[in-house]
Amino acid sequence: DRQRAQYLNEQTLLARGGMITSAALVDLLVAFERETSQKVWDMIAIAISDLKRFVETNPDAEKKLRAFVGRLAQFQFSRLGWDARPGEPEEDTELRATILGCMVYAEDPDVLAEAIRRFQATPPEQLNPELRSVIMTAAVRYSGDVHVIDRLLDLYQSTSSSDLKSDITNALTSTRDNGAIARLLKLLSDTKTIRPQDTISWYVGLLRNREGRDATWRWLRE
């Protein structure tokens, strides 16, 4: 596991430095389709994150990358599913969230529908903590429900759980809605809603969000 993870890390660094092409990195990832190690999948996820940056300004390339990531994760998703099996290895439990994150990025319709169903059927604080961030992010980005933002903001203010607050921050700052982005940016200076110590997490989340990046940068300058 360590050697494979290290090799992937080295190849990712080479791609960042322009020593190999991003296409070579894609070809390499194909070989890990049946990989079951969480350590290796951590490196695969990092490589995918790097590839996302290459395709941000090219819709056709981004569509192809989403499809590729879905194919890459499909075998493990079929093996793991949504719910833990009795006696399953801890590594599988940890890997499930990574795989589901890949399937959400791939915009797999069945996975998105199930994530939204689970969000609507279960209070966020009762969702599986391992999958909660993935489920809430899918609901924010893809449900089309205008009340999701209000629901999560209310929970953010009322919960005392730092982990839940973090998951809510990750989900809300991933929104694709320009109106919601503008609303969240206004809240960055509202200390009654967002604690000062949390402001940087919200800001970084919005800055990482392609749909919110320009507006977030303007907010900082102003």
Side-chain angles (χ1 to χ4, degrees):
D1 293 2
R2 182 181 299 177
Q3 288 181 337
R4 296 196 303 280
Q6 182 177 350
Y7 178 68
L8 268 174
N9 181 48
E10 291 169 350
Q11 296 302 302
T12 301
L13 292 174
L14 287 172
R16 287 180 186 175
M19 304 300 292
I20 64 172
T21 65
S22 58
L25 196 56
V26 170
D27 291 340
L28 173 64
L29 291 177
V30 171
F32 290 86
E33 182 178 4
R34 301 208 169 207
E35 179 61 57
T36 60
S37 168
Q38 171 62 30
K39 292 179 181 178
V40 177
W41 267 100
D42 284 344
M43 294 310 309
I44 292 174
I46 291 173
I48 290 171
S49 294
D50 279 10
L51 289 170
K52 289 177 184 178
R53 290 196 288 270
F54 287 123
V55 302
E56 272 193 348
T57 59
N58 188 326
D60 289 338
E62 183 177 47
K63 184 177 180 180
K64 291 178 181 178
L65 180 61
R66 289 184 188 276
F68 169 75
V69 171
R71 292 193 301 272
L72 187 65
Q74 182 61 56
F75 178 82
Q76 294 305 323
F77 174 66
S78 298
R79 183 177 73 86
L80 297 170
W82 278 89
D83 300 305
R85 300 179 303 277
E88 78 172 11
E90 182 178 348
E91 189 168 50
D92 280 356
T93 303
E94 295 174 353
L95 179 58
R96 182 174 287 106
T98 301
I99 297 301
L100 283 171
C102 289
M103 298 301 287
V104 168
Y105 172 73
E107 297 182 342
D108 181 277
D110 292 336
V111 170
L112 293 179
E114 178 62 13
I116 293 168
R117 185 197 70 77
R118 290 181 179 233
F119 178 81
Q120 293 171 340
T122 308
E125 61 270 30
Q126 295 179 19
L127 290 168
N128 180 347
E130 296 281 349
L131 307 181
R132 185 170 57 206
S133 181
V134 172
I135 291 172
M136 292 195 302
T137 296
V140 168
R141 287 183 65 83
Y142 299 105
S143 71
D145 184 350
V146 296
H147 301 295
V148 169
I149 301 291
D150 291 330
R151 179 181 173 188
L152 290 179
L153 279 173
D154 288 344
L155 180 58
Y156 177 85
Q157 291 179 271
S158 63
T159 184
S160 59
S161 168
S162 59
D163 288 339
L164 182 53
K165 283 182 181 289
S166 178
D167 288 343
I168 292 171
T169 300
N170 290 337
L172 286 177
T173 56
S174 74
T175 180
R176 300 186 296 177
D177 182 78
N178 290 331
I181 290 168
R183 180 182 176 187
L184 295 177
L185 286 171
K186 289 182 179 179
L187 290 176
L188 290 182
S189 55
D190 179 2
T191 57
K192 292 182 178 179
T193 302
I194 299 176
R195 301 178 305 174
Q197 60 266 40
D198 294 342
T199 301
I200 188 64
S201 297
W202 287 77
Y203 172 76
V204 170
L206 287 166
L207 195 63
R208 286 176 175 170
N209 181 351
R210 181 179 60 192
E211 285 82 1
R213 188 171 300 147
D214 290 343
T216 304
W217 179 239
R218 285 197 302 270
W219 174 87
L220 179 65
R221 287 186 299 167
E222 293 168 3

